Amino acid sequence: MSFDYHSVAGDYQYRALHSGHPMQRFWHAGKLTMIDQLIRPHLRAGSRLLEIGCGAGNLLVQAIVPGSYPVALDLSMQALTFVRSRLQEAAFGDGAPSGFACTQAIGESLPLADGSFDCVLLSEVIEHLDAPQISIREAARVLKPNGRLLVTTPNYRSFWPLMEWAVDRLNLAPKMAGEQHVSHFHPSSLKRMLVEAGLEMEYSGSIYNLSPFLSLVSLEQAKRQLQHELSRRSALGMILVAVAIKP
């Protein structure tokens, strides 16, 4: 792992969501829509939810339903410190969780019991790993039977390589190509890795085909396009989205 992830500010994704470039704000907000549609309907009071590589915790906080128990896991203590503050705030708001935990660890070796979570989130993590299948197997291990694993990762059979190049050149994010992103996926390779881990596919699709570009013209049109992308389950979007169930 050549990239220094401790150099990334713990609140990076939160700031990108709330005060980044308009396309960057839409990009991070769209993932919250994804959580609302694909994950939250399956959670209820008592559900245990884990996010591996949580960063600023945008997805984990979005997934909370009243009485659930979110667990934030990351290598970066900066990220965990920031997420802890967000979870503490959520504990006193409407729809509060029953509690929460923050753990410093890596996805390849989870310090968690077998079959202990109803849902695991692994969003834009596996492309950073030399052996991503290890983290997928670990995520599957800690899932309860009928638990869900949500995985997102860049789609290298889309416009993503061009977007990655542009973001790097404009310094809109910490450099990705050749430094952070060391494993590349396309729809069939992601599905194959999940199935080989013993999981069954529930959802396979992608987001961010046209919607990020529309966000520069009309936010409402971009939101409608994103809904279309989620429902169509296209393989053309820049971010692959998969939900797999543990039998």
Side-chain angles (χ1 to χ4, degrees), residues 5 8 26 43 59 72 79 105 129 137 145 149 152 155 158 162 168-169 176-177 210 216 236 242:
Y5 289 96
V8 179
F26 176 82
L43 300 176
L59 273 60
L129 306 175
R137 289 198 297 265
L149 169 63
T152 73
N155 180 9
S158 71
L162 180 60
D168 282 349
R169 294 303 179 278
M176 295 180 286
L210 298 176
L216 299 174
L236 300 177

Side-chain angles (χ1 to χ4, degrees), residues 140 143-148 194-195 197-201 244-247:
L143 274 177
K144 298 177 182 179
N146 298 315
R148 285 173 171 79
L194 292 168
V195 171
L199 301 172
E200 297 176 352
M201 299 301 298
I245 296 178
K246 183 174 182 176

Side-chain angles (χ1 to χ4, degrees), residues 34-222:
M34 172 191 72
I35 292 294
D36 286 344
Q37 294 196 15
L38 301 182
I39 295 301
R40 292 188 89 244
H42 303 290
L43 300 176
R44 57 193 58 81
S47 292
R48 289 176 55 84
L49 172 65
L50 169 68
E51 184 170 13
I52 300 170
C54 62
N58 291 349
L59 273 60
L60 183 65
V61 171
Q62 186 71 17
I64 292 171
V65 299
S68 60
Y69 190 92
V71 176
L73 185 144
D74 205 285
L75 176 64
S76 167
M77 187 54 69
Q78 290 185 73
L80 291 174
T81 298
F82 182 72
V83 174
R84 181 180 296 276
S85 69
R86 296 189 69 186
L87 293 173
Q88 287 172 336
E89 183 178 349
F92 293 99
D94 294 334
S98 63
F100 65 87
C102 297
T103 302
Q104 186 179 30
I106 57 174
E108 296 94 330
S109 181
L110 298 175
L112 303 165
D114 295 359
S116 51
F117 288 92
D118 299 281
C119 181
V120 176
L121 307 177
L122 196 59
S123 181
E124 271 118 287
V125 171
I126 58 174
E127 65 272 15
H128 301 270
L129 306 175
D130 291 319
Q133 69 277 9
I134 298 175
S135 289
I136 294 293
R137 289 198 297 265
E138 275 290 273
R141 177 182 66 79
V142 302
L143 274 177
K144 298 177 182 179
N146 298 315
R148 285 173 171 79
L149 169 63
L150 178 140
V151 180
T152 73
T153 191
N155 180 9
Y156 280 85
R157 290 184 181 171
S158 71
F159 288 125
W160 172 259
L162 180 60
M163 174 66 80
E164 186 178 67
W165 178 87
V167 168
D168 282 349
R169 294 303 179 278
L170 296 172
N171 293 315
L172 294 177
K175 184 171 174 58
M176 295 180 286
E179 292 193 16
Q180 293 195 67
H181 293 178
V182 296
S183 291
H184 296 176
F185 292 90
H186 50 80
S188 59
S189 64
L190 177 59
K191 179 179 179 180
R192 181 169 58 251
M193 186 170 63
L194 292 168
V195 171
E196 287 176 352
L199 301 172
E200 297 176 352
M201 299 301 298
E202 179 181 61
Y203 178 97
S204 180
S206 66
I207 55 175
Y208 304 151
N209 184 2
L210 298 176
S211 56
F213 305 104
L214 285 173
S215 71
L216 299 174
V217 180
S218 168
L219 184 57
E220 289 306 312
Q221 288 185 26

